[in-house]
Every structure is written in C-alpha cells, then in structure tokens.
Amino acid sequence: MNKTVFYIAFLLSFITNYSNLNANILEDKKRLVKNSNYFSNYLNGSVYLQKNDSQKAYKFLQNIEDLGLYHSEFNFKYIESLVSSGKFEEAYIFIKKLDKSYQSLYPFNLVLFAHDFKNKKYSHLKDYIPLVKKDLSDPLLSELYHDLDLWCELSSGNIDKLKEKIKKSNSDFKNVELTQKILISLYLDDQQNIDLYFREISATKELVRYNYFYLGYFLEKNNKEKVSDIINKNLEIDSESLLFKQLYLDFQNNQFQKINQFYKRKDINHGLGELFYLFANFYQNYEQVQISNFYLNISEYLNPEFLPNKILKIENLITLEDLYQAEKEIKIIEKLGKEYFWYANITKLKFFPNYNSEKQINLLEDYLKNQKIFITDKYFELANFLRSNSNYLKSIHLYEKSILSKKDKKNTDWIYYYNLAISQERSKAWNDAEKNFLEALKISPKQPEVLNYLAYSWLEREINLEKAKEMLIEAVNLSKGRGYILDSLGWAYFLLKDFDKAEETLKIAYEKDPTEAVIYDHYGDVLWINGKEIQARYVWQNAVKLKYIEKDLKESINKKIIFGLDEDYKRKS
C-alpha cells in the first residue's frame, strides 16, 4: 500500500472513530488534515508507544501537540509518552491547556495531583479526585482515590479530620489501609500508633517491605540494636528480600547512612510516592504492566531517591521487551551494593542477548568465589539458568556447591536436590539422579513434581513399575489432576498392560493438556493397541501440528502415522 492510500485510509478511520469531536474540526483546522505531517507524526508516535519506546513516541507527538485540543485519544497517548519519559512538568502544562473537564478525568487527574502535591499547591488537590465511592468496575482505582483523600487532609494540616477518616475507614484492601496508617503515623511522629502498627506487620510476609520504613525512625533514635533486629527478623520471614539482604550487608559494614538513604519519613512527598509504588505493584501482579509503569513513574517523580524501586521498572520493561530502557535502569541498580550487582548481572545473563553468556557466567562465578554470605540461592539461580540452557554438567557442579553452602536443612530444600537430580538424569548419571530424587522425597514426601519425575524415569527404564504406578496415583491426587502427571500414570497402566485403564487415563490427560506432544503420542499408542487405528492416526496427526514438538519425537510420530505400530512393538505391549 503506498503512502497516499495509507493516509486516506487512516483519515477515514480517524473521522469514523472520533465523530464525537467538535463538528468544526475539519473546517476550522484544515491545516491539520491537509498536512500529512500530522498523520505521520501521530502514526509514528502511536507505533512507538505500542513498542513501549516512550522517548521516540515523544519526539513525534510533541510536533502535533495542538492536536490535543481536538483529539481525546491523542491526549492519552501524549501524556503517557511524557510521563514515561520523565517530562512531568511538560505533562502538567499540557493538561492545563485542555478543557477543564480533563482535570478530574483519569489519568490526567493523577498527574495534576502529583505535580501540585510535590509543589505544595495543596489547596487544589481535592479538585482532581472524584468523591470517594465504591466503584466495582475498578475497585483498585476507588481505593487509590480514597487514599489520596487521606494525603489531601495530611498535606492541608487537617489532622483531626484525617484521624477521623482513618478511624472510619473500612477498606476492602486491608494491607493497603495498614501501610497508609504506617506511613502517616511515621510522618506525624505518632508514637502510640507507630508501635501499634509495627507489631501488626512484624510477622506478615506480604508486608516485609514496610518494616524498612521503621529503620530510619530507629536510626534517628540511635537504636542500632533495634535496626539489626528488624533486618534479621525480616530475612527470617523472607530470605529472598533483595532490599533487606543489602541492608544486612550495609549494617555489617557500619554503613548506616545507606540504610536511611532511600526514604525520609518526614518528607511528605516520599510518603505519597510510596502509595503510587504500592499500586504499581498491584497492577504488575494483575499483568497490566503499562499501567504499572505509569504509577511507577509518578512514584519516581515524588521520590527519585528510592532507587531499589527501579527493580519493578526493570521487570516491567523486560515484560514489554524494551531492553534498551531496561539496561539503562540496570546500570543504575548495580551500583547500589553487592546484592544489586548480582541481581543486575544475573538479569543481563537471563534476558539480554547482547551479553556474551560465557563471559557473563564467568563474571558471576568469580563474584561468588569471593562471597561468604547469601551465596546458596545465587549458586542455585545460576545453576537453574545453565540447566535451562542444557549445560547439565556445569549446572550439577553449581547445584552441589549450593547444597554444600547450606548451613541447615529445611523442608523447602527438596527443590535443591530435585533440580540437581534432573540435571544428573539428563546427563545420563542415573544412579546419582535416583539417589537425589529420593533425597528430595525424604525431605518433603508430598511433592507431586518429584513423585512424577522419579516414577516416569522408572517407567522409561521399565523398572519398579508397580511402585511407579502407586507414586503416580498419589501425585495425581496431590496435583489435582495435572495433565502431564495423568499422562505418566496412563503410561504406567500401558506398560503394565492395563490398556483399558491406560486409554481412560490418557484420554483425560489429552483433553486437559492439548499442548503437550508426548501426551498425544502416548494416547495414540494406546488407541492403536486397543484396535482404534483411525482415531490413533487422527491424534498423531494433531501432534505433529503442534507449535512446540521436539524434532526426534515429530519424526517418530510421522512414521507411526504412515506405518502404525510395528508388530514387535505390539507383541511387546
């Protein structure tokens, strides 16, 4: 399609889709439609927003800024590009040029609210948020408006009214409600509530992060023993907390200034910034990554000091496949300390193709040689990467180091032996693999993945068939009937020559997991054995059409489609 035809098609679409624009737009603003640069800039800006490249989107959209006076869809796109590019002041000025009706319209109102809040223009804040009410179409947004109302009262000094609203609050999001109480009480130096809320969150894994905000409070009182106690207890609750692992190292090195560098409890902007960060997390969990990034950019605008929050942005950018921007954020993160250095470089290894894998692996291994703290999970993480890339021998070496570095055994440690056993089985070290599968089950006997893998490995070797069947029956019950485990059980029945039971079980697996080629293969086999050759060929033909099927398996199934199961196979069965 040439450019002229393309622009005509776009113009027709433009008129059709935006009939609610001012009726005189084409007559009064003929230059907008006559000048193909408007369409070109709009299209290019839209395309780059779709690609999540806000910087390039901004370059095109800024050229047609006056289109926003007539085009509501443009306004959304342009504001998104400005906020994503960190051009908050420009976003604010642009919205202020629009009709006043936009000022209480989501998401424009959030930009105005954050801007005026940071610039201490507190008197206008309530103009930007609608009356707080339950909105079942988006309960999260309703909750956000409710919380913003609390920060309105706090910023205006209406403390009695604020406390009354907190007292009457009946949020459906109890953890959000509690975090707001924490941040507000710390800001107000409300000693009674500071202690009350601290006790409430101390043993809650979901709120581990919020213990961090007490560290600055206790450091101000020079209570370093309490700071150490909070850090250690939080690592017991969540041993994988990147923030608290780094805090532990900083505390051990007497770098107390680092502990308090990201958040100042008496800075009201930091408190509001944390609220937006919390909602950015929510939307990421709901897989609404672009909305998550929008909230995160507002959070960064209010508190640019909380650099560990960039991890959420890195995750979002990787999900959006914007590796260029993600790499820029990683370069900031890796300077924050040893734990962040590890996170940055293992992330490069996993997601960035421009980093040489071997060189990056060597860098991470060299790093671990010089570390004594928090190394178990790092060896494990690197080993998992190597195993997923079929480097089984090297992964075995790192899994073994991971296990050796553990100081005590916990009931969650089965995963270390299980993953080690998988690498050993794949590298043909079956005796070692079997030993470690059994060790994993000794630590935690009710793990369906381990039961399935060990039992199916026995089936492949045609040993311990009865025991394998019993283990798989248990695994099916524990897993509530996962398709791939049902397939293993069906194959156990097949090898035990219970073909009716095999067909019944494999049929369920086939219906439950229509993407797994091995299940098609097994189901076709039992259908053929049971004299249903037409149905068997139909199942096999569907198998070879699957997007993900190993080459060897595809070749094997293609032979079955042509020749069926040979007589030797049938006699063996």
Side-chain angles (χ1 to χ4, degrees):
M1 180 184 293
N2 63 43
K3 284 188 176 181
T4 303
V5 175
F6 183 86
Y7 287 136
I8 291 171
F10 177 77
L11 176 57
L12 291 172
S13 173
F14 181 94
I15 295 170
T16 302
N17 290 320
Y18 296 101
S19 58
N20 62 330
L21 296 178
N22 293 334
N24 64 349
I25 180 173
L26 294 180
E27 290 187 14
D28 293 346
K29 302 295 175 183
K30 286 181 180 178
R31 64 186 181 83
L32 296 187
V33 294
K34 283 185 176 179
N35 186 350
S36 65
N37 285 334
Y38 270 90
F39 294 109
S40 178
N41 283 309
Y42 182 82
L43 284 171
N44 282 310
S46 299
V47 167
Y48 279 112
L49 272 180
Q50 287 293 320
K51 292 180 178 179
N52 306 298
D53 191 336
S54 57
Q55 298 287 345
K56 287 184 179 177
Y58 167 72
K59 287 180 181 178
F60 287 103
L61 296 177
Q62 69 172 332
N63 295 326
I64 51 172
E65 184 178 305
D66 51 347
L67 184 60
L69 298 172
Y70 315 100
H71 193 338
S72 56
E73 179 69 15
F74 170 83
N75 296 333
F76 284 100
K77 292 181 184 295
Y78 191 45
I79 289 302
E80 183 184 349
S81 74
L82 288 170
V83 172
S84 297
S85 303
K87 302 180 188 299
F88 227 87
E89 194 67 32
E90 284 186 48
Y92 179 81
I93 293 170
F94 177 78
I95 296 170
K96 282 293 187 179
K97 289 179 181 178
L98 301 176
D99 186 89
K100 277 196 172 183
S101 61
Y102 279 97
Q103 296 185 12
S104 59
L105 184 66
Y106 175 89
F108 307 105
N109 58 344
L110 299 183
V111 175
L112 298 176
F113 188 100
H115 179 276
D116 281 359
F117 193 95
K118 184 170 184 176
N119 289 279
K120 297 183 171 57
K121 298 178 182 178
Y122 302 132
S123 60
H124 298 293
L125 295 179
K126 289 201 175 185
D127 295 337
Y128 302 137
I129 55 175
L131 293 174
V132 178
K133 59 182 179 180
K134 298 285 184 182
D135 181 2
L136 296 179
S137 65
D138 191 349
L140 267 180
L141 186 57
S142 294
E143 177 62 31
L144 177 60
Y145 286 149
H146 167 80
D147 296 321
L148 290 177
D149 184 57
L150 298 181
W151 289 90
C152 284
E153 303 297 356
L154 180 63
S155 62
S156 300
N158 301 324
I159 306 306
D160 290 338
K161 194 172 181 180
L162 168 66
K163 289 183 176 180
E164 186 64 25
K165 286 185 175 182
I166 290 175
K167 187 177 179 181
K168 291 181 178 179
S169 176
N170 186 26
S171 172
D172 293 330
F173 299 87
K174 297 302 179 185
N175 283 349
V176 178
E177 185 177 61
L178 179 56
T179 58
Q180 296 315 290
K181 290 176 180 177
I182 291 167
L183 299 174
I184 289 169
S185 64
L186 283 167
Y187 176 80
L188 293 173
D189 241 337
D190 185 345
Q191 186 66 54
Q192 181 179 353
N193 282 327
I194 286 174
D195 294 337
L196 173 67
Y197 301 140
F198 178 68
R199 288 192 297 272
E200 196 169 339
I201 67 166
S202 290
T204 308
K205 184 171 182 177
E206 293 80 9
L207 296 177
V208 160
R209 173 185 170 89
Y210 288 87
N211 284 297
Y212 168 75
F213 299 101
Y214 284 95
L215 297 181
Y217 172 75
F218 288 113
L219 275 177
E220 289 171 18
K221 299 180 180 299
N222 203 33
N223 190 344
K224 293 175 183 175
E225 184 178 344
K226 188 67 175 176
V227 171
S228 177
D229 183 58
I230 292 172
I231 293 172
N232 289 323
K233 282 185 176 177
N234 275 275
L235 286 173
E236 288 175 12
I237 296 169
D238 182 8
S239 62
E240 289 306 296
S241 171
L242 191 58
L243 176 62
F244 275 92
K245 285 196 289 187
Q246 186 60 52
L247 290 170
Y248 177 89
L249 296 178
D250 292 338
F251 187 89
Q252 296 301 310
N253 293 323
N254 295 318
Q255 294 178 315
F256 304 118
Q257 77 284 357
K258 285 190 172 184
I259 292 174
N260 200 25
Q261 66 181 320
F262 304 128
Y263 184 91
K264 306 297 182 187
R265 70 185 181 95
K266 301 295 283 184
D267 188 328
I268 195 170
N269 293 323
H270 286 195
L272 184 62
E274 181 59 26
L275 173 65
F276 278 101
Y277 175 80
L278 178 63
F279 277 80
N281 256 307
F282 278 136
Y283 281 103
Q284 187 199 58
N285 291 336
Y286 292 138
E287 298 182 354
Q288 296 186 39
V289 180
Q290 286 177 308
I291 298 176
S292 173
N293 259 357
F294 184 79
Y295 282 108
L296 190 56
N297 285 318
I298 295 177
S299 176
E300 283 190 347
Y301 169 71
L302 291 161
N303 180 9
E305 306 303 321
F306 213 134
L307 296 179
N309 287 355
K310 287 184 176 293
I311 286 177
L312 183 65
K313 179 177 275 190
I314 291 166
E315 292 171 353
N316 285 346
L317 290 168
I318 289 172
T319 300
L320 295 169
E321 299 181 353
D322 187 353
L323 298 185
Y324 175 74
Q325 288 298 327
E327 187 173 8
K328 287 172 68 174
E329 302 293 350
I330 282 174
K331 287 178 180 178
I332 298 171
I333 281 289
E334 67 182 335
K335 298 175 183 177
L336 297 180
K338 290 181 177 180
E339 288 301 306
Y340 292 101
F341 175 86
W342 172 268
Y343 168 83
N345 283 284
I346 194 72
T347 301
K348 290 175 188 176
L349 178 63
K350 288 178 180 177
F351 299 107
F352 291 78
N354 57 317
Y355 282 86
N356 180 280
S357 290
E358 197 60 39
K359 184 177 179 181
Q360 196 71 5
I361 290 166
N362 291 337
L363 180 149
L364 291 166
E365 280 196 274
D366 290 343
Y367 168 86
L368 288 174
K369 288 174 185 176
N370 300 315
Q371 305 304 313
K372 295 181 179 179
I373 303 174
F374 305 135
I375 61 172
T376 298
D377 291 330
K378 292 182 177 64
Y379 276 122
F380 185 71
E381 186 176 17
L382 185 54
N384 283 339
F385 172 82
L386 292 167
R387 178 172 62 85
S388 68
N389 285 274
S390 304
N391 192 342
Y392 300 120
L393 291 177
K394 194 160 192 174
S395 73
I396 290 169
H397 174 66
L398 293 177
Y399 281 131
E400 288 173 341
K401 280 196 168 187
S402 177
I403 291 169
L404 285 172
S405 69
K406 292 187 71 64
K407 294 179 180 178
D408 53 4
K409 280 188 179 181
K410 301 175 183 177
N411 61 2
T412 55
D413 289 351
W414 64 269
I415 189 70
Y416 294 89
Y417 292 91
Y418 173 59
N419 285 14
L420 169 60
I422 292 174
S423 283
Q424 289 169 329
E425 189 270 337
R426 296 283 173 85
S427 61
K428 313 299 182 186
W430 168 244
N431 290 336
D432 291 335
E434 185 177 39
K435 174 185 170 185
N436 284 305
F437 281 130
L438 292 168
E439 182 64 27
L441 287 174
K442 182 180 176 182
I443 296 169
S444 186
K446 301 293 184 182
Q447 295 298 330
E449 295 91 346
V450 187
L451 289 165
N452 176 68
Y453 205 115
L454 175 57
Y456 191 76
S457 296
W458 284 340
L459 297 181
E460 287 185 315
R461 290 160 179 80
E462 298 192 16
I463 60 175
N464 303 328
L465 297 184
E466 280 291 345
K467 188 175 182 180
K469 182 189 77 172
E470 296 306 316
M471 286 169 61
L472 288 166
I473 290 172
E474 183 180 12
V476 166
N477 291 331
L478 288 168
S479 71
K480 298 180 180 178
R482 288 182 203 159
Y484 69 94
I485 299 180
L486 279 163
D487 170 65
S488 298
L489 178 58
W491 197 241
Y493 287 126
F494 183 92
L495 294 177
L496 289 165
K497 298 183 172 55
D498 188 346
F499 299 121
D500 289 340
K501 195 73 174 173
E503 182 179 341
E504 177 189 336
T505 307
L506 287 166
K507 183 176 187 291
I508 298 170
Y510 174 74
E511 291 169 348
K512 274 199 167 190
D513 196 346
T515 62
E516 184 55 61
V518 171
I519 297 178
Y520 286 70
D521 185 35
H522 288 166
Y523 185 41
D525 284 3
V526 74
L527 287 170
W528 188 278
I529 292 296
N530 283 341
K532 300 174 182 178
E533 288 91 348
I534 294 174
Q535 294 98 315
R537 281 199 167 97
Y538 174 78
V539 170
W540 288 328
Q541 284 166 350
N542 284 335
V544 296
K545 294 175 186 175
L546 292 173
K547 184 175 181 181
Y548 300 106
I549 179 171
E550 292 181 5
K551 183 180 178 182
D552 291 346
L553 180 58
K554 189 172 184 177
E555 289 176 358
S556 171
I557 293 174
N558 274 324
K559 288 179 182 177
K560 291 178 186 180
I561 293 170
I562 299 170
F563 302 110
L565 298 181
D566 60 42
E567 290 303 316
D568 288 341
Y569 189 96
K570 289 198 286 185
R571 279 196 296 273
K572 184 179 179 182
S573 301

